[in-house]
Amino acid sequence: DSPILPGSNALGVDNLTTMLTALLTAGKISQADYDRQAITWTSATIDIFTKGLEVEVVANPTKNLTLRASYSHSERRRENFFTEVFDFFGSRVPQWRSLLANNPVELVTFNTAVRDLDSEMAYQVDRQNSPFGSRPHKLNGTARYRFSEGRLKGLFVGGSIRSNGKNFLSQNLATGQVYWGNETILGDAFAGYRTRMPRTKVPLTVQLNVKNISNSYLANVGRYNDTYTGVRRVYLNEPRSYRLTTTVEF
């Protein structure tokens, strides 16, 4: 049996309708019973776990220059798939099947729906075990220089590089082949001026931040389709943006 594709009565909604229809046709439930139990849902719960490590190094080669670098490696997995859906059918299917013991035609229809449900749920579990675009390796570097003397005193400038390793797209469970996406390298810059508010001693900082200077990697493939011939999911990065902030410290 072929599982129903995501977005088309996935997670057993269609199978529930078939089961209840078999019971109704056999006269084992009333129309009111059918209407009360023919519920629909579009999502279910999943537990997500992430573990990894992160290392950060900060250095001041001079009193005005600050360097910062960080590296992280993370592994993400999903567990406890659709427990409420499995519990729902697990408690009802045996009862409903026993009601149809003397109705062979409806019982065949019912058992077919159960097999379809098992196939569909197994398919959805396999999908959720996929990586969904996670990037295990990330590396960031930032440099900041401040001017402490002369006419430029109070001015600071800097920039950063955000490097993300290849994203884990899909794994063909039949062949074991793993599909990876592309790396991304994004550059940011900032400049600011630190002074005091006129006629006071209140610190004032004005800063301009520019993210994704090159306006690169705006769209990244997050997942292939089931045949690995096309794209199912795309992730969008923030385009080049400018932000001017003013901070007053009390």
Side-chain angles (χ1 to χ4, degrees), residues 174-189:
T175 65
Q177 182 176 355
V178 176
Y179 296 87
W180 293 89
N182 61 292
E183 300 173 340
T184 64
I185 301 178
L186 303 174
D188 308 321

Side-chain angles (χ1 to χ4, degrees), residues 88-212:
F88 176 86
F89 284 104
S91 63
R92 288 167 173 78
V93 166
Q95 301 175 20
W96 290 342
R97 180 180 282 121
S98 65
L99 292 176
L100 295 173
N102 297 321
N103 300 86
V105 175
E106 288 78 12
L107 182 59
V108 169
T109 300
F110 182 89
N111 286 332
T112 299
V114 174
R115 289 195 300 270
D116 289 345
L117 170 67
D118 292 340
S119 176
E120 194 170 300
M121 295 301 292
Y123 172 73
Q124 294 298 331
V125 168
D126 285 342
R127 287 190 69 244
Q128 296 301 324
N129 271 320
S130 296
F132 285 95
S134 60
R135 297 179 183 271
H137 300 278
K138 298 181 179 67
L139 178 65
N140 299 325
T142 302
R144 181 181 186 275
Y145 186 85
R146 66 181 181 88
F147 296 87
S148 58
E149 298 176 347
R151 295 182 178 181
L152 298 180
K153 182 178 180 180
L155 177 70
F156 59 89
V157 295
S160 63
I161 297 293
R162 293 176 284 138
S163 177
N164 299 314
K166 295 180 179 180
N167 57 315
F168 190 11
L169 296 179
S170 300
Q171 182 175 6
N172 188 327
L173 298 179
T175 65
Q177 182 176 355
V178 176
Y179 296 87
W180 293 89
N182 61 292
E183 300 173 340
T184 64
I185 301 178
L186 303 174
D188 308 321
F190 60 88
Y193 185 70
R194 184 174 176 85
T195 183
R196 296 184 183 277
M197 296 184 64
R199 302 179 182 178
T200 71
K201 294 184 179 181
V202 177
L204 171 68
T205 303
V206 180
Q207 182 169 330
L208 174 65
N209 293 283
V210 185
K211 295 193 68 176
N212 194 1

Side-chain angles (χ1 to χ4, degrees), residues 221-248:
V221 177
R223 185 186 174 107
Y224 287 140
N225 60 17
D226 297 327
T227 59
Y228 312 102
T229 58
V231 177
R232 166 170 288 163
R233 180 170 299 188
V234 174
Y235 292 104
L236 302 179
N237 280 326
E238 181 181 351
R240 183 191 299 119
S241 63
Y242 303 85
R243 178 174 296 179
L244 180 65
T245 60
T246 302
T247 304
V248 179

